[in-house]
């Protein structure tokens, strides 16, 4: 049984193993620094489907299929599927995953969904509720733009603080730490602890500055993890936030420094890892549920399994707003969930 | 640690206790057969707020506040909050609950959310991840109509198979079965087992016939529970589905009879319990996340704690569609999660 420390941090007694993973993306993601780590890059942003929404569903389906296959499993081996996305009523997940016939728990954490789904899968494995579970999320630039901002045909201008919603999906298969019924790869990364985030609203109202809206939530969760564990940044190879982008990342460092928490050059942000901002026009960096999911599955987990990284904190951040809420004058609440991923 | 039986059913070793609950609704819900069991009925459908979306957030806030108070607790005593709703990006939950500063896991299960959130809270308590957790959901007739169908001002006609989205919220506080650090009321209902549902899509495309879209999912989950446990309907005082309404309820009985599963008059549906269809114009019955949540918290849990009921199955059902998906020609996938609630 996991040990609770402090308010929000749960330590795993038998750290669940990340058995396999897959990343799926489109052309622009393939051209970025993580491109080589993707399992599937589609030149066609429709992924062979008739709409961008269906394309996003297809991405989740491909990511889950490939992750399950890479673990040498079939969908029948997965006890619970944890999934969510940015589209209204999370249709990328529900339509993309309906054919698997796997017990399904839908989540909504906006761009924090990769951390939320993975921490839920890990906790279910730790508790023995599942032998194996799967976590997945996605985002699509075109479906997100027309839902949250403007139809692409409108050709609206973007301020420099705007972030670029990644067209990507990532999926991870999690197994019980004791191996359960089946052998597990020795080099599988493990989940050592998780910190469940609280909603933080600092009054930001600019939907083109999501990084600033999410940075305070990331700062709070990171602060709580270090307070709960007594650890310091130096204990980790990398501290990777979800998708704060350029603006939010600077704000995060500032916020933590005010509390005498120094990241010592270890901080990275998935929004800045997925694309090359010098060569690719992505404004303040990548965003969307698929951004942190794809960076985790194309770059961080492979590096952990190869032993190039030994200990990381993965903190996906979400902005919990809707266009309706903003039109009604609301500010943008943020949330950040943290996962400590290490090696056995 | 919970014991897994069959594909999807988890039995609790130390059945988590339902410490307290609260139901909030509007005028029409107050006038229905469950009206007397509500903790708060607002004559004003805006609940004193400036929009229906904000009203729905207010309902969740009130439901959670009151449930926590009734347990003699404060928000700081709640380790994790599980919440979701029907509005785009689940804003009823995120805006309604942001001020509590409780670690937050957002869910999306459409109208199955009360069962999903409660089963997650119960499983977290069973695993010792929380001492106490809170589950909540809501819906609002006016915010749902304008998001999913037509603006109310349009005055569109409704076919008889249409259901009436409840303006209601329900919240339950769950505590560890061994009582954890604090004493628990002896008569608290307990969660004995849960069955996590799978997505089921039978090709229904009529958004005015949600009951028919959800009935196959309910049938499948009930079938799996009985197969996993070897129990029969006669072991339960009531088998209560989420919100199938008149059309879906008939279909459910038919579907189960084909598998030689007979409900023996024990089946009830929250969509038919919340309103009096003879006196109230609600077409095929109530629906919305708040419907099953309010019936659970205003009628079923009070009856369990008074000993009028001893064993029930609560199966909330959800239709996992969006207007965008339907406009693109998609059918409506359904899901149903089951909770066996009994007494110590």
């Amino acid at each position: 049984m996991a040990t609770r420390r402090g308010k929000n941090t749960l330590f795993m007694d038998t750290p669940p193993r990340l058995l396999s993973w897959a990343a799926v993306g489109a052309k622009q993601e393939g051209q970025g620094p993580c491109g080589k780590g993707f399992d599937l890059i589609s030149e066609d942003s429709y992924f062979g489907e008739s709409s961008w929404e269906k394309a996003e569903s297809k991405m989740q389906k491909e990511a889950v299929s490939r992750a399950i296959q890479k673990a040498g499993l079939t969908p029948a081996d997965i006890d619970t599927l944890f999934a969510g996305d940015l589209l209204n009523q999370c249709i990328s997940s529900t339509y993309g995953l309906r054919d698997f016939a796997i017990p399904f728990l839908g989540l909504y954490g906006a761009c924090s969904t990769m951390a939320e789904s993975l921490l839920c899968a890990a906790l279910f494995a730790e508790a023995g509720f599942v032998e194996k579970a799967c976590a997945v999320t996605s985002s699509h630039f075109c479906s997100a733009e027309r839902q949250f901002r403007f139809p692409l045909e409108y050709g609206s201008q973007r301020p420099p603080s705007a972030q670029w919603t990644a067209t990507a999906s990532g999926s991870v298969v999690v197994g019980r730490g004791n191996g359960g019924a089946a052998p597990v790869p020795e080099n599988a990364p493990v989940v050592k602890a998780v910190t469940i985030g609280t909603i933080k609203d600092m009054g930001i109202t600019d939907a083109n500055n999501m990084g600033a809206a999410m940075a305070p939530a990331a700062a709070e969760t990171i602060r709580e993890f270090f307070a709960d564990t007594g650890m310091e940044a130096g204990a980790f190879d990398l501290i990777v936030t979800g998708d704060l982008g350029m603006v939010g990342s600077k704000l995060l460092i500032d916020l933590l420094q005010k509390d005498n928490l120094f990241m010592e050059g270890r901080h990275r942000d998935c929004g800045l890892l997925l694309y090359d901002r010098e060569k690719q026009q992505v404004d303040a960096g990548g965003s969307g549920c698929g951004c942190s999911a794809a960076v985790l599955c194309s770059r961080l987990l492979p590096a952990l399994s190869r032993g190039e990284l030994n200990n990381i904190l993965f903190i996906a951040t979400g902005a919990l707003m809707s266009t309706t809420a903003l039109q009604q004058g609301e500010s943008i609440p943020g949330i950040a969930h943290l996962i400590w991923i290490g090696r056995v």
Side-chain angles (χ1 to χ4, degrees), chain A residues 139-225:
Chain A
S139 56
H140 193 300
F141 177 78
C142 305
S143 63
E145 282 297 304
R146 73 172 166 192
Q147 180 181 281
F148 286 110
R149 296 176 188 93
F150 296 100
L152 289 185
E153 296 82 352
Y154 181 74
S156 72
Q157 288 196 313
R158 300 161 55 84
S161 61
Q163 292 176 233
W164 188 271
T165 304
T167 300
S169 175
S171 175
V172 180
V173 174
V174 181
R176 289 185 63 181
N178 60 12
V184 291
E186 278 184 25
N187 58 349
V190 297
V191 172
K192 295 200 165 183
V194 304
T195 304
I196 300 172
T198 55
I199 300 174
K200 196 92 184 161
D201 191 335
M202 303 300 280
I204 301 279
T205 54
D206 181 0
N208 279 311
N209 197 354
M210 294 294 197
M214 299 188 289
E220 172 136 320
T221 301
I222 292 169
R223 209 156 36 212
E224 291 208 345
F225 174 80

Side-chain angles (χ1 to χ4, degrees), chain A residues 267-344:
Chain A
H267 175 252
R268 300 288 184 280
D269 184 74
C270 293
L272 302 172
L273 292 171
L274 185 61
Y275 301 113
D276 181 342
R277 285 179 64 244
E278 301 291 317
K279 294 180 189 159
Q280 297 180 293
Q281 283 204 346
V282 294
D283 304 312
S287 70
C289 301
C291 178
S292 58
V295 171
L296 180 71
C297 297
S298 69
R299 185 149 166 186
L300 302 175
L301 294 180
L304 279 155
S305 70
R306 287 193 300 262
E308 296 160 20
L309 294 172
N310 286 302
N311 262 321
I312 68 165
L313 295 181
F314 175 72
I315 309 117
T317 53
L320 302 171
M321 42 64 75
S322 78
T323 53
T324 304
L326 295 194
Q327 283 159 7
Q328 293 182 3
E330 280 286 10
S331 51
I332 304 174
I335 197 162
H337 301 295
L338 178 150
I339 307 181
W340 172 10
I341 307 175
R343 285 160 56 84
V344 178

Side-chain angles (χ1 to χ4, degrees), chain A residues 225-226 231-239 266 311-313 340:
Chain A
F225 174 80
F226 286 126
M231 299 177 83
E232 292 185 351
F236 299 93
D237 300 320
L238 291 179
I239 296 168
R266 287 173 161 78
N311 262 321
I312 68 165
L313 295 181
W340 172 10

